[in-house]
Amino acid sequence: EYTDAGRYTTTLEIVDSRYKGSITIDLVINRAVPETDFSVVNAVWNENLHLYDIKLPAGYAWDLPDTKIENVGEAAYPVTYTHADSKNYVTVKGEFKVDVAKAEVTLIGVKDVYTSTYVKDTAFNATSGISTMFTDGTLSFEFYRDGELVDAMIEAGEYTMIIKVTEGTKYLGKTI
């Protein structure tokens, strides 16, 4: 009984009252083509996103895993599918679509309340300690004191700062 892909040779003996002989048969069982599902995988953009960061279903592997993802949106990348039973199934080449979504903006160093110590004719720079992890869109700051919008924090007291980030090509907009 031949159940695995491969090349087999078998000899059959024929014995009859009128004939005696044998026949040799070469039997080739080819490897099967597995069912595959080359679909879409999702990711969220970041500045160091590579294909190797994006997990594929079992059996699939990126052909070029070191490829850096430069943009949001959908793009196709080559993959190879290898069945767990590679002795009996061929590998299949195809493409997975990667749908890269815009990232959330992350602001580091943001406080709930900023306190200014009054120094005559000098504005307190509350934005100096804030760094951003995004490269597009615009970042703007608004300062409020006692519910009123002020141009700068030039008097001693407590201020509320509103940070607005406009949506860019790789980041979602956000107000903090």
Side-chain angles (χ1 to χ4, degrees), residues 111-160:
K111 301 177 190 175
D112 289 334
V113 175
Y114 287 86
T115 303
S116 170
T117 303
Y118 180 70
V119 177
K120 186 174 172 44
D121 299 326
T122 304
F124 174 69
N125 186 358
T127 62
S128 65
I130 297 174
S131 64
T132 61
M133 296 180 67
F134 76 104
T135 54
D136 68 351
T138 58
L139 184 65
S140 63
F141 303 89
E142 293 177 355
F143 300 99
Y144 292 84
R145 181 161 189 218
D146 299 325
E148 298 289 322
L149 179 64
V150 295
D151 292 330
M153 295 192 288
I154 56 173
E155 297 177 9
E158 288 188 353
Y159 293 82
T160 301

Side-chain angles (χ1 to χ4, degrees), residues 1 11 55 80 82 86 93 96 124 140 161 165:
E1 184 173 307
T11 302
K55 186 175 172 139
T80 300
T82 304
S86 61
K93 297 277 189 183
F96 259 91
F124 174 69
S140 63
M161 179 171 61
V165 180

Side-chain angles (χ1 to χ4, degrees), residues 14 18 42 49 89 102 112 115 131 162-163:
I14 301 171
R18 295 172 292 169
N42 298 306
L49 181 63
Y89 290 89
K102 291 181 180 183
D112 289 334
T115 303
S131 64
I162 305 294
I163 303 168

Side-chain angles (χ1 to χ4, degrees), residues 6-172:
R7 181 179 205 100
Y8 302 95
T9 302
T10 188
T11 302
L12 300 173
E13 292 278 330
I14 301 171
V15 179
D16 189 10
S17 61
R18 295 172 292 169
Y19 179 79
K20 181 177 179 188
S22 64
I23 183 168
T24 300
I25 299 172
D26 283 329
L27 174 64
V28 176
I29 299 176
N30 293 320
R31 292 190 299 162
V33 177
E35 288 187 29
T36 55
D37 180 14
F38 296 103
S39 55
V40 176
V41 291
N42 298 306
V44 176
W45 187 85
N46 72 62
E47 291 182 24
N48 295 308
L49 181 63
H50 292 79
L51 288 178
Y52 58 73
D53 297 315
I54 303 169
K55 186 175 172 139
L56 292 173
Y60 294 90
W62 297 112
D63 289 354
L64 302 166
D66 291 331
T67 301
K68 187 173 183 183
I69 308 291
E70 298 290 344
N71 296 304
V72 299
E74 193 172 275
Y77 298 93
V79 296
T80 300
Y81 176 76
T82 304
H83 192 278
D85 182 4
S86 61
K87 180 178 180 181
N88 290 306
Y89 290 89
V90 297
T91 57
V92 179
K93 297 277 189 183
E95 290 184 337
F96 259 91
K97 288 188 172 144
V98 177
D99 189 7
V100 179
K102 291 181 180 183
E104 292 275 337
V105 173
T106 302
L107 298 175
I108 300 168
V110 177
K111 301 177 190 175
D112 289 334
V113 175
Y114 287 86
T115 303
S116 170
T117 303
Y118 180 70
V119 177
K120 186 174 172 44
D121 299 326
T122 304
F124 174 69
N125 186 358
T127 62
S128 65
I130 297 174
S131 64
T132 61
M133 296 180 67
F134 76 104
T135 54
D136 68 351
T138 58
L139 184 65
S140 63
F141 303 89
E142 293 177 355
F143 300 99
Y144 292 84
R145 181 161 189 218
D146 299 325
E148 298 289 322
L149 179 64
V150 295
D151 292 330
M153 295 192 288
I154 56 173
E155 297 177 9
E158 288 188 353
Y159 293 82
T160 301
M161 179 171 61
I162 305 294
I163 303 168
K164 293 183 179 179
V165 180
T166 61
E167 185 165 323
T169 58
K170 297 176 181 171
Y171 289 92
L172 299 169

